């Protein structure tokens, strides 16, 4: 039975009356009253998650009959348990890492979107400022020659043409 032990995993051998014959020293020779001990002799093989008498939650696997070589099972059952916090530690770490990476990706995406919005806004801002300046003073500085977008370039050319037309009308 000792060969079945692994770090963090307890193997308990139960008699027919739920007394622990082999296992952790704090439960040896004690009768278990947890649900998995009651179910161990009645089910084929099962898995449960429950709180044990030490106040900790464990994942438990029940094996209803245990035999070795030619020996009969004597009505003994086997329980294999692992502390739920220990079992779920790697999953919690994975979830924590996921949310950290997700949050960092969201921040990077927002920064990139802000940069893209600024890149899109610049020619439109320059064109609207040039149009407002032309309305106030047709002789103001000509609009910036936009080349970033076809539509912005066309609007820039149209504003320049409109400004030159307005200047031609107001000059003697």
């Amino acid at each position: 039975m000792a060969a079945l032990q692994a770090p963090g995993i307890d193997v308990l051998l139960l008699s027919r009356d739920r007394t622990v014959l082999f296992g952790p020293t704090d439960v040896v020779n004690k009768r278990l009253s947890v649900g998995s001990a009651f179910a161990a002799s009645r089910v084929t093989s099962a898995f449960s998650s429950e709180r044990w008498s030490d106040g900790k939650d464990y994942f438990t696997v029940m094996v209803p009959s245990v035999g070795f070589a030619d020996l009969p099972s004597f009505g003994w059952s086997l329980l294999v348990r692992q502390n739920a916090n220990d079992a779920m530690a790697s999953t919690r770490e994975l979830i924590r890492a996921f949310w950290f990476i997700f949050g960092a990706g969201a921040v990077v995406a927002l920064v990139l979107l802000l940069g893209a919005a600024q890149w899109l806004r610049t020619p439109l801002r320059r064109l609207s400022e040039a149009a407002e300046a032309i309305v106030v003073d047709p002789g103001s500085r000509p609009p910036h020659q936009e080349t970033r977008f076809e539509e912005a370039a066309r609007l820039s050319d149209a504003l320049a043409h409109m400004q030159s037309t307005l200047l031609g009308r107001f000059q003697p």
Side-chain angles (χ1 to χ4, degrees), residues 119-129 146 149 152 155:
W119 187 73
L120 290 170
R121 183 182 81 99
T122 300
L124 296 176
R125 181 185 46 79
R126 285 193 295 232
L127 288 170
S128 62
E129 288 172 355
E146 298 293 344
F149 308 107
L155 184 56

Side-chain angles (χ1 to χ4, degrees), residues 127-141 159 162-163 166-167 170:
L127 288 170
S128 62
E129 288 172 355
E132 289 170 350
I134 291 171
V135 168
V136 173
D137 178 20
S140 64
R141 166 176 85 80
L159 283 175
M162 183 174 55
Q163 185 180 27
L166 284 175
L167 280 176
F170 290 117

Side-chain angles (χ1 to χ4, degrees), residues 84-97:
N85 286 332
D86 295 342
M88 297 301 290
S90 60
T91 303
R92 284 190 196 97
E93 185 59 36
L94 181 65
I95 290 170
R96 191 176 301 116

